[in-house]
């Protein structure tokens, strides 16, 4: 019998950035990384949530630091990556999780401001972070990037036009990074969460066209997942247990994508 141990989810000593780590899936992921021995840089726009996450991580006996700010700003992105590298001695994992929801609006009802904000936060900010992280991973000859996409990245019936477009863009970016850098030891994957218990909110306008259309499709999501279940998938994809997985979009949705 072969008893040789294979790749594991052990992340002891790894340097990890988790965006949106002040709450929800991001916070659950940051804590799960800490449980696996990683050093975690918490990036969030909410100072209170970031501070609480850092305190919880440190209570688990692993190092943690926070950078607070808007990740759609290049200077904040640069600060996040530089802090992780300086405090932890490098960068092994980037989790591009931070994002916002739209109001389920159909295209004819989406304002320029909403469109630009959704694209900037959900797609441009993760791109900026990946671009800033890549030089450090390339220098080390290894690294893992994990995006939080969405059920709305797989179909047109799970969110409004702006959110759906932004998350489809995340899938395209994930696959492009996987192809471009697989020869240099860098893996890029994404989870696609279905309905999940988090604090993300949306407020559709009364009698709006988008929510009225989507209502007939939304009953297929099945059991609502926990943030911790999404976090487990993120940590798996980031770890050596997923060493030969690259360019994958993993639905974590109780089979919604299969309906």
């Amino acid at each position: 019998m072969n008893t040789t141990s294979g790749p594991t989810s052990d992340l002891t000593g790894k340097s990890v950035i988790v965006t949106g780590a002040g709450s929800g899936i991001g916070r659950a992921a940051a804590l799960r990384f800490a449980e696996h021995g990683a050093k975690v840089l918490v990036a969030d726009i909410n100072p209170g949530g970031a501070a609480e996450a850092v305190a919880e991580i440190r209570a688990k006996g692993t190092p943690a630091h926070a950078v607070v700010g808007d990740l759609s700003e290049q200077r904040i992105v640069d600060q996040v990556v530089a802090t992780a590298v300086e405090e932890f001695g490098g960068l092994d994992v980037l989790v591009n999780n931070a994002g916002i929801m739209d109001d389920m609006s159909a295209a004819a009802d989406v304002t320029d401001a909403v469109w630009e904000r959704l694209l900037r936060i959900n797609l441009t900010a993760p791109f900026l972070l990946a671009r800033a992280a890549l030089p450090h991973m390339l220098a080390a000859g290894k690294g893992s990037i994990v995006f939080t996409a969405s059920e709305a990245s797989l179909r047109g019936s799970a969110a409004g036009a702006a959110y759906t477009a932004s998350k489809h863009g995340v899938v395209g970016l994930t696959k492009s990074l996987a192809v471009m850098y697989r020869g240099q030891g860098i893996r890029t994957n994404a989870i696609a969460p279905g309905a999940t218990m988090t604090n993300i909110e949306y407020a559709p306008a009364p009698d709006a066209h988008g929510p009225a259309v989507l209502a007939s499709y939304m009953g297929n999501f099945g059991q609502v997942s926990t943030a911790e279940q999404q976090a487990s998938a993120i940590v798996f994809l980031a770890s050596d247990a997923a060493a030969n997985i690259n360019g994958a979009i993993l639905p974590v949705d109780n089979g919604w994508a299969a309906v």
Side-chain angles (χ1 to χ4, degrees), residues 8 23 35-36 41 43 90 97 118 123 126 128 145 195 206 229 233 254:
T8 71
S23 63
E35 290 167 2
H36 285 271
L41 189 288
N97 168 77
L118 264 291
L123 181 57
L128 294 175
I145 302 173
Q229 288 170 326
N254 193 39

Side-chain angles (χ1 to χ4, degrees), residues 135-156:
H136 301 283
M137 293 181 175
L138 289 168
K142 59 181 179 178
S144 178
I145 302 173
V146 182
F147 289 84
T148 297
S150 169
E151 190 72 22
S153 71
L154 307 176
R155 60 179 73 243

Side-chain angles (χ1 to χ4, degrees), residues 223-235:
Q223 182 177 342
V224 176
S225 76
T226 65
E228 289 73 22
Q229 288 170 326
Q230 303 294 340
S232 293
I234 289 172
V235 172

Side-chain angles (χ1 to χ4, degrees), residues 17-20 43-45 69-81 91 94-100 115-134 145-148 165-167 169-170 173-174 177:
I17 293 171
V18 182
T19 71
D44 203 280
I45 199 168
D70 186 340
L71 293 168
S72 69
E73 297 180 16
Q74 184 68 58
R75 66 180 183 85
I76 300 298
V77 167
D78 293 341
Q79 184 182 356
V80 166
V81 174
L91 178 58
L94 167 63
V95 178
N96 269 319
N97 168 77
I100 58 172
W115 178 266
E116 290 166 5
R117 182 167 180 258
L118 264 291
L119 269 290
R120 185 73 185 172
I121 294 174
N122 288 0
L123 181 57
T124 301
F127 159 72
L128 294 175
L129 280 151
R131 186 175 66 180
L134 279 166
I145 302 173
V146 182
F147 289 84
T148 297
S166 71
K167 291 300 186 177
V170 166
L173 180 57
T174 298
L177 287 165

